[in-house]
Amino acid sequence: MTDPNRETIGSDEMLVAFLDGELDPDTRKQVENLLERDEAVADRLRFLSSSNLPFRDAFIPLLDSAPKAKLDAMLAEILPPEQVRKQANGWNRRGFLAAAIGFIAIGIAVDRTFLGVQSSLHGDQDGSDWRSVVAQYMSLYTSDTLGNAPADVAVQTEQLRGVGVKLGLNLTPELVQLPGTTLKRAQMLTYDGKALGQITYLDAAQAPMALCIVQSSKGAKAPDSERRHGMNVIYWSSDTHAFMLIGHESLGDIKAMGDRLRHVLTI
């Protein structure tokens, strides 16, 4: 029988409060008992514990430019008054999570910080970890994330040129355009201290799609597929780069798009 309290006691909010020593003795005991019984919750706690990183420093540029009055009002709606007062006095992990939700809701991009934080939590023994990290943050994307503004070919050309220079690839809108999709933007992220190029699209159903590229010395590998966070992924490698195309399109459509990209992307 499912424990009716598991969802509440084992929530991320409760686990973060457990890590920060903010639970009363009875609730803390309930969490400890659940951790002994439920390996999935214990794994989640280990992940959250390992995330004790300098979030505040990483977010200083975003905080400086954030619309503070609007963010404060949003936090007041999702946190009780006492928690809002605590937020003003200091940053703990629960405060960071609440602020991150606010940033996403008001359209402040956190891609670079997210990838930087996540890459420090993973090794990359077989090349799969970077795909896992990309898929995890892509699962947060919606059509609104990529915006509804008309495509500006001149801007996209310059964005792709900059990404191509960083990665040592020739990238143009004509080369990376995919049938049935709308090219949105290209930008540089980082993974494990290395450059990661991201080219984003909206597919025919206005769902987010991305082509991501990192430099790799592991050698050429034939295309393969996997499914992560409800999305289909096609990935392959050349002698110098690793690629992944991720989206909500059918596996067949993603494969066809990946085949096109694999043949046109050259050094």
Side-chain angles (χ1 to χ4, degrees):
M1 181 180 295
T2 303
D3 183 350
N5 294 322
R6 181 192 182 282
E7 183 173 348
T8 299
I9 298 297
S11 68
D12 282 1
E13 174 77 5
M14 192 69 72
L15 294 177
V16 170
F18 177 84
L19 289 168
D20 289 336
E22 296 180 357
L23 299 180
D24 61 73
D26 289 343
T27 306
R28 186 175 185 83
K29 184 63 176 177
Q30 292 182 58
V31 174
E32 290 173 347
N33 290 339
L34 181 60
L35 291 170
E36 292 177 0
R37 302 192 312 268
D38 195 317
E39 184 62 27
V41 176
D43 286 343
R44 187 64 182 166
L45 180 71
R46 284 190 286 271
F47 173 82
L48 292 171
S49 178
S50 69
S51 301
N52 189 16
L53 296 169
F55 291 124
R56 187 178 187 279
D57 292 342
F59 269 82
I60 283 176
L62 293 179
L63 294 171
D64 288 343
S65 61
K68 186 176 185 301
K70 186 172 182 179
L71 179 57
D72 286 343
M74 294 176 65
L75 290 177
E77 293 179 1
I78 63 176
L79 293 174
E82 180 60 29
Q83 284 300 102
V84 174
R85 285 194 290 273
K86 286 183 179 179
Q87 184 72 33
N89 294 329
W91 282 72
N92 59 17
R93 276 168 294 203
R94 185 150 39 162
F96 163 76
L97 292 173
I101 292 170
F103 289 142
I104 293 171
I106 60 178
I108 296 177
V110 295
D111 295 349
R112 290 171 178 80
T113 300
F114 184 89
L115 278 176
V117 168
Q118 290 295 310
S119 68
S120 67
L121 305 179
H122 296 271
D124 195 16
Q125 301 303 313
D126 62 357
S128 65
D129 285 339
W130 78 280
R131 299 196 306 274
S132 175
V133 172
V134 168
Q136 188 173 351
Y137 89 84
M138 278 297 296
S139 70
L140 302 176
Y141 273 33
T142 68
S143 58
D144 291 333
T145 309
L146 299 179
N148 298 313
D152 187 320
V153 176
V155 171
Q156 292 175 346
T157 299
E158 184 59 25
Q159 290 174 345
L160 286 163
R161 186 198 66 79
V163 171
V165 168
K166 292 283 188 180
L167 294 175
L169 288 170
N170 175 37
L171 299 175
T172 67
E174 294 76 18
L175 283 176
V176 301
Q177 184 61 63
L178 296 172
T181 72
T182 303
L183 178 64
K184 298 304 292 186
R185 70 174 184 237
Q187 62 180 344
M188 289 305 304
L189 309 174
T190 59
Y191 174 78
D192 200 22
K194 299 177 182 178
L196 187 155
Q198 182 204 49
I199 302 168
T200 52
Y201 310 80
L202 288 177
D203 66 19
Q206 298 299 291
M209 174 183 292
L211 169 66
C212 293
I213 311 168
V214 295
Q215 291 180 322
S216 173
S217 59
K218 296 182 179 180
K221 292 184 180 178
D224 203 349
S225 65
E226 60 190 6
R227 190 164 175 81
R228 293 181 182 268
H229 293 275
M231 292 171 284
N232 288 313
V233 178
I234 295 296
Y235 60 95
W236 68 96
S237 298
S238 68
D239 290 335
T240 55
H241 294 80
F243 304 82
M244 69 175 288
L245 181 65
I246 178 171
H248 297 270
E249 293 271 16
S250 70
L251 182 58
D253 287 341
I254 293 284
K255 282 183 176 179
M257 293 177 189
D259 285 343
R260 180 193 180 279
L261 291 168
R262 187 164 56 92
H263 287 103
V264 300
L265 293 180
T266 57
I267 298 176

